[in-house]
Structure formats: C-alpha cells, structure tokens
C-alpha cells in the first residue's frame, strides 16, 4: 500500500489519536476516506475505487465502519471550533424518504447559514416542533433574538410554549436561507437512494451537517487566491482535529 500521496500539502504527520489505535491503516488513510464520503456525493464502493486508484487497498465495508465510527467525532470537533451562533435563527422542515416512508427533516441555521442542528421526526405537528425547539436551546445553550419560520402553525404553538419572549417572524420569503440549506441534503439523498432507517438518517445527516460546511466556504464572495488560502487553512484544521498532523493550525 502507498500512503505518501495523501499529504501533498506539506503537513507534518503527527502521532495517531487514541481513537485510531488498533486500526491497521494509518490515520491519514482513515481521515481521507471519511473526508471523501462526507464531502462528495460518493458511495462507499466509489470511495473504495478512488483509494484503489491511489494504491490503497481497502474494502467498502471498512470505509463504512470508519465513517460510522469517526464521522460524528470529526463533526463534533469541527463544531467546537465554530464561533457562537448568530441571534437570528431560520427553521424549516422538509420531507425525506426513509425505507420508502415519508419522514420530516427539521433544520435550523443562523443568519450566516451555519447549521445549528437537524432532527429527523415522523411528524411535523406541535409536539415535533416543541421537541426541536427544546433540543436547539439545549444544544446551542443560547436563546435567539429572532426565530424565522414558514407559516406552519405548529411553529407558532411551540414558540408560544417554549420561547415566548423571542420574536417570531413567519412572512413569506423570509425563510429562504433555511430552505436553501436543504439542497445538499437532497443531493446526498438522491446519491444514497434514500435512507434505510430513521436512526441511520439522523446519524448520517448529523455528521454531514458538521463536516460538509467546513469545506464549503462562500466561494462566490472570494477571489481565487483568497479561496485557495482559506481552503489551505481549513485542510490544516482538518488534519489537526483528525490527528493526521502534529502541527496546530489556527483559522
């Protein structure tokens, strides 16, 4: 197996993190496979093929286990590095197919488009909205200034019960930021040909919403040089949180 190709950016290899001990492959290979799967709309078999082209023989089932084991951990480490969320939250729900049945994906983003949380539920009634509101407050440990939603009545009822002091806006067209945030999920859902279970959907989308935005800066607002410089920093941060580099990086 050939491993030297994986770090062409000049980052020095560090010691493996404790979580990677006992694995036959180096942390560089593991983190690279996880990055490929969550960054691009690839299947596990396609990741296996890409690695084989580079001289690394790894089965798709091994890639699946790595993504299940390390995806959430990497996403959590990236979330801890993010700044505090904004005080204007956009909430929206969209249906997804899970094993042929319709479920609802609830999503919250702030005014900068940063994903605050996602939750897969069976319904979109008041109880579901209330549960999502409480989960958001617990996870972010902060109270927003404004909550923006669509005109689903469940939001209004849950808002009056959970956070009555927060301003609630639900006029048409105000919630485009949350609706646009669903686009990447739709892309992955098509690539994966729907999800197999609610638990699998929740686990994947939770890791995906933490990993994918890290590698998607607002490129339309940057020059080519600025974009490359920003991505170099983000790759260095990725190397640091995965344990693939020994040198710390700062954004």
């Amino acid at each position: 197996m050939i491993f030297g190709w994986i770090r062409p950016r000049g980052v020095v290899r560090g010691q493996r993190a404790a979580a990677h001990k006992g694995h036959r492959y180096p942390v560089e290979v593991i983190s690279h496979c996880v990055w490929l799967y969550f960054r691009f709309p690839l299947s596990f078999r396609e990741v296996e093929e890409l690695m084989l082209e580079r001289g690394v023989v790894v089965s798709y089932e091994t890639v699946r286990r790595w993504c299940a084991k390390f995806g959430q951990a990497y996403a959590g480490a990236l979330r801890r590095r993010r700044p505090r969320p904004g005080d204007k939250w956009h909430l929206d729900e969209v249906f997804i197919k899970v094993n042929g049945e319709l479920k609802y994906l609830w999503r919250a983003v702030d005014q900068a488009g940063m994903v605050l949380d996602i939750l897969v539920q069976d319904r979109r009634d008041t109880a579901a909205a209330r549960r999502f509101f409480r989960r958001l407050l617990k996870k972010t440990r902060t109270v927003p200034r404004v909550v923006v939603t669509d005109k689903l009545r469940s939001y209004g009822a849950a808002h009056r019960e959970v956070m009555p002091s927060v301003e609630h806006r639900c006029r048409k067209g105000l919630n485009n930021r949350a609706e646009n945030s669903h686009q990447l999920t739709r892309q992955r859902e098509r690539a994966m040909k729907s999800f197999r279970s609610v638990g699998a959907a929740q686990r994947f989308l939770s890791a995906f919403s933490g990993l994918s935005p890290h590698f998607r800066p607002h490129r339309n607002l940057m020059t080519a040089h600025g974009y490359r410089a920003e991505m170099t920093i983000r790759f260095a941060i990725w190397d640091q949180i995965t344990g693939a580099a020994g040198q710390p990086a700062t954004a």
Side-chain angles (χ1 to χ4, degrees), residues 27 60 95 160 189:
V27 61
Y60 72 91
F95 73 86
R160 290 190 294 271
E189 183 184 17

Side-chain angles (χ1 to χ4, degrees), residues 120-151:
V120 180
Q121 302 193 83
D122 293 334
R123 301 178 182 274
R124 58 171 183 170
D125 54 12
T126 301
R130 183 170 57 243
R131 180 187 179 194
F132 188 48
F133 277 176
R134 288 173 174 168
R135 177 185 169 102
L136 269 174
L137 293 175
K138 181 179 180 180
K139 187 168 185 178
T140 60
R141 298 181 181 179
T142 185
V143 178
R145 175 181 56 87
V146 179
V147 169
V148 181
T149 69
D150 56 25
K151 293 186 177 182

Side-chain angles (χ1 to χ4, degrees), residues 46-74:
E46 288 169 333
V47 174
E48 174 188 2
E49 183 177 342
L50 288 173
M51 298 300 287
L52 180 61
E53 193 274 334
R54 295 295 186 178
V56 179
V57 180
V58 58
S59 72
Y60 72 91
E61 180 62 23
T62 299
V63 175
R64 185 194 66 79
R65 290 197 299 266
W66 287 345
C67 292
K69 180 176 181 179
F70 297 108
Q72 287 280 14
Y74 293 165

Side-chain angles (χ1 to χ4, degrees), residues 11-30:
V11 180
V12 179
R13 292 184 185 179
Q15 296 181 347
R16 291 186 185 184
H20 297 87
K21 288 183 179 179
H23 288 269
R24 182 162 61 94
Y25 290 83
V27 61
E28 294 94 328
V29 173
I30 296 173

Side-chain angles (χ1 to χ4, degrees), residues 11-204:
V11 180
V12 179
R13 292 184 185 179
Q15 296 181 347
R16 291 186 185 184
H20 297 87
K21 288 183 179 179
H23 288 269
R24 182 162 61 94
Y25 290 83
V27 61
E28 294 94 328
V29 173
I30 296 173
S31 63
H32 193 73
C33 288
V34 174
W35 172 72
L36 283 173
Y37 181 70
F38 285 104
R39 173 60 181 85
F40 303 101
L42 299 172
S43 68
F44 295 123
R45 293 180 184 272
E46 288 169 333
V47 174
E48 174 188 2
E49 183 177 342
L50 288 173
M51 298 300 287
L52 180 61
E53 193 274 334
R54 295 295 186 178
V56 179
V57 180
V58 58
S59 72
Y60 72 91
E61 180 62 23
T62 299
V63 175
R64 185 194 66 79
R65 290 197 299 266
W66 287 345
C67 292
K69 180 176 181 179
F70 297 108
Q72 287 280 14
Y74 293 165
L78 288 174
R79 287 191 183 101
R80 288 190 290 271
R81 299 183 66 103
R82 292 179 181 175
R84 290 178 60 85
D87 60 358
K88 186 176 181 180
W89 294 358
H90 297 255
L91 280 65
D92 192 43
E93 79 292 335
V94 66
F95 73 86
I96 60 174
K97 279 193 175 182
V98 177
N99 198 22
E101 298 181 0
L102 291 182
K103 306 294 180 180
Y104 293 94
L105 171 65
W106 298 70
R107 183 190 305 273
V109 301
D110 66 6
Q111 62 264 42
M114 182 176 70
V115 179
L116 304 176
D117 197 12
I118 62 101
L119 181 63
V120 180
Q121 302 193 83
D122 293 334
R123 301 178 182 274
R124 58 171 183 170
D125 54 12
T126 301
R130 183 170 57 243
R131 180 187 179 194
F132 188 48
F133 277 176
R134 288 173 174 168
R135 177 185 169 102
L136 269 174
L137 293 175
K138 181 179 180 180
K139 187 168 185 178
T140 60
R141 298 181 181 179
T142 185
V143 178
R145 175 181 56 87
V146 179
V147 169
V148 181
T149 69
D150 56 25
K151 293 186 177 182
L152 181 69
R153 293 184 178 180
S154 300
Y155 283 119
H159 165 262
R160 290 190 294 271
E161 180 178 343
V162 179
M163 51 178 77
S165 61
V166 176
E167 181 183 354
H168 181 207
R169 301 175 186 173
C170 58
R171 293 191 298 274
K172 183 178 180 180
L174 287 180
N175 209 28
N176 290 340
R177 187 172 297 277
E179 293 173 355
N180 291 338
S181 184
H182 291 307
Q183 293 178 2
L184 293 177
T185 299
R186 287 297 193 202
Q187 183 185 51
R188 292 310 300 261
E189 183 184 17
R190 290 192 296 269
M192 298 171 70
K193 299 179 181 179
S194 79
F195 302 100
R196 295 185 178 181
S197 68
V198 171
Q202 179 68 40
R203 287 189 296 271
F204 170 79

